Amino acid sequence: MRDVLEDFGGGVTIGDQRITNLRYADDTTLVCSSKEELMDLLKAIKSASEQRRLILNTKNTKVMIVDAGRNDTDANFSLEGDFIEEVESFEFLGSIINTKSDCTQEIKRRLAIARA
C-alpha cells in the first residue's frame, strides 16, 4: 500500500503538506478530494494488494464524505461490484469524526465521560 500512496497525486493539502492517508496500527484512513479520486485510489490499492495475495475486505471498508454543505446522501460506492457502506461518523484514535466537520457530538461525549 505504501507504494500506491507514495505515487498517488491526490489527497488534500493542509498548509504545505499533502495528506493522502492516516494510519494507526492496522487501520488506514484514506483522504481524497473527490469521489472519483477515492475510487481510483481504492482500485490501485486493491490491485497492489492482490499482487501480494492479499484481499481488500470491502465488508470492512467504509466511506465518509466530509462536507458541511452536502445535501445529497445517495453516492452509492462500489468497487468492482462490491458495495461499500457510507457512514455518517466514525471514531479515529478516540475522537468522533462526522460528515459535517462538527465537533458537538465529540464535546458531548467527552463531557459525559468527565461526569461519569
Side-chain angles (χ1 to χ4, degrees), residues 82-110:
D82 293 329
F83 174 74
I84 299 175
E85 179 185 0
E86 184 177 353
V87 296
E88 296 288 318
S89 66
F90 74 98
E91 189 172 331
F92 185 74
L93 297 180
S95 295
I96 297 172
I97 301 169
N98 67 31
T99 59
K100 303 296 181 191
S101 299
D102 178 21
C103 60
T104 304
Q105 184 181 11
E106 178 65 14
I107 291 169
K108 288 179 181 179
R109 185 181 74 86
R110 289 181 185 220

Side-chain angles (χ1 to χ4, degrees), residues 69-86:
R70 180 177 180 219
N71 294 323
D72 70 320
T73 57
D74 190 26
N76 292 328
F77 290 89
S78 65
L79 183 61
E80 296 180 4
D82 293 329
F83 174 74
I84 299 175
E85 179 185 0
E86 184 177 353

